[in-house]
Amino acid sequence: MQIVSVSSLKGGVGKSSVTLGIASAALQAGVPTLVVDLDPHADATTGLGVRPHEGRDVGEVLRRPRRGALERAVMASAWAVQDGRDSKALDVAPGSARSSHLDRSGYRDKDLGRLERALAGVTGYDLVLVDCPPSLSALTRTAWAASDKVLSVAEPSLFSVAGTKRTMTAIAQFEQSRTWAVPAAGVVVNKVRHSSAEHRHRLAELEEMFGPLLVTPVIPDLPVWQQAQGAAWPIHRWPGAEARDLAGRYTAILHGLLDRAD
Ligand SMILES: Nc1ncnc2c1ncn2[C@@H]1O[C@H](COP(=O)(O)OP(=O)(O)OP(=O)(O)O)[C@@H](O)[C@H]1O
Ligand SMILES: [Mg+2]
């Protein structure tokens, strides 16, 4: 089971979209996947067409991360249900504002092990995707502590490049401060417009900064993404050439993630 967090210091760069794109690719490829929605805004949960039941959410699980607690909170995504797929094809541990209790300052180091504890003993999935809030808060570090890999999402813009550098530095420092297995890092570049000279310049800058850590292919800025998300529909089932292009790119990213785990 490969555990991958999707995070960034900056909001709105596409963490939840990357989570949903990889989840869509995994459903299409038949890779049993669990999405853990750590963001108190719960956008990934909404995107997967799930309405959490009271008390069955990640916030509750992290409050008391006992064995079996996460599995009790997990629900089948609407994507898998519409597809008539078995349970565990694509499930979600729903997000809720209750998870923000771990985002307070003054958390203790041992609190960072809460998601790792909750995931211990979870079986039946090949991939776990953790969608993080837009900060390097305790909640995000809770995800990193549980992960084999951290994907940092960047846009080809000045502030996002700077934010990605800070995120990667924070991941490296986090690795050094930990006594348990360290997560590998990668950078997914999202919302790329190749027609923009500024974007081409920032993309070259990201390539120079992060070299082999840059995940290929990059994801273009395409309005069809917002349409598919607005309908809570997987990009792999959305019609048209642009959706097919996005879907193909996410399939390639999924394969890259799973190959590296072998
Ligand atoms: N490749 C893309 N092309 C077009 N629109 C995109 C793309 N990626 C993301 N978006 C849009 O950008 C907006 C922000 O994306 P998203 O919610 O995934 O970002 P986020 O980093 O998870 O945000 P937050 O920090 O609030 O959690 C959404 O409206 C989404 O549909
Ligand atoms: Mg998000």
Side-chain angles (χ1 to χ4, degrees):
M1 190 168 86
Q2 150 112 284
I3 304 173
V4 180
S5 305
V6 184
S7 64
S8 75
L9 178 70
K10 204 172 166 328
V13 292
K15 292 172 292 301
S16 302
S17 300
V18 167
T19 304
L20 293 172
I22 300 173
S24 175
L27 181 65
Q28 171 88 6
V31 175
T33 296
L34 171 65
V35 172
V36 177
D37 193 349
L38 268 199
D39 189 345
H41 292 123
D43 294 337
T45 304
T46 308
L48 288 161
V50 164
R51 274 173 184 274
H53 297 304
E54 184 67 33
R56 277 180 72 181
D57 59 67
V58 168
E60 276 310 303
V61 173
L62 293 180
R63 205 181 285 279
R64 286 182 216 87
R66 297 195 192 105
R67 219 179 167 78
L70 190 65
E71 274 152 318
R72 282 193 292 279
V74 157
M75 297 170 71
S77 67
W79 297 3
V81 173
Q82 283 151 6
D83 226 13
R85 302 283 278 272
D86 299 340
S87 70
K88 301 217 168 174
L90 178 58
D91 289 350
V92 57
S96 84
R98 275 182 289 272
S99 62
S100 51
H101 68 85
L102 257 184
D103 249 1
R104 67 189 191 277
S105 56
Y107 64 88
R108 291 157 304 169
D109 254 10
K110 74 176 176 49
D111 288 336
L112 299 187
R114 283 170 182 260
L115 182 60
E116 193 174 37
R117 283 209 293 287
L119 280 167
V122 169
T123 56
Y125 304 104
D126 289 349
L127 181 64
V128 177
L129 297 166
V130 189
D131 189 25
C132 295
S135 67
L136 303 185
S137 60
L139 210 43
T140 294
R141 286 161 198 269
T142 301
W144 293 357
S147 294
D148 302 302
K149 180 153 195 151
V150 180
L151 292 179
S152 175
V153 181
E155 282 172 359
S157 72
L158 172 63
F159 297 150
S160 180
V161 171
T164 305
K165 194 145 195 272
R166 288 204 297 281
T167 307
M168 297 300 270
T169 305
I171 294 169
Q173 283 166 351
F174 184 71
E175 288 175 7
Q176 284 158 18
S177 69
R178 281 162 49 88
T179 48
W180 57 100
V182 293
V187 177
V188 176
V189 192
N190 186 35
K191 300 194 192 182
V192 176
R193 275 179 276 117
H194 284 289
S195 58
S196 153
E198 170 66 9
H199 276 205
R200 289 198 303 275
H201 169 70
R202 296 298 166 195
L203 195 53
E205 199 173 44
L206 284 164
E207 275 160 5
E208 194 176 313
M209 254 178 206
F210 301 115
L213 297 186
L214 226 58
V215 172
T216 52
V218 300
I219 306 295
D221 188 343
L222 292 173
V224 70
W225 222 163
Q226 283 155 36
Q227 293 160 16
Q229 282 176 5
W233 204 253
I235 196 71
H236 285 69
R237 291 216 300 267
W238 197 259
E242 287 190 344
R244 254 197 319 280
D245 176 34
L246 278 171
R249 285 166 189 267
Y250 274 112
T251 296
I253 291 176
L254 172 76
H255 287 157
L257 277 177
L258 296 178
D259 284 350
R260 246 160 267 168
D262 295 339

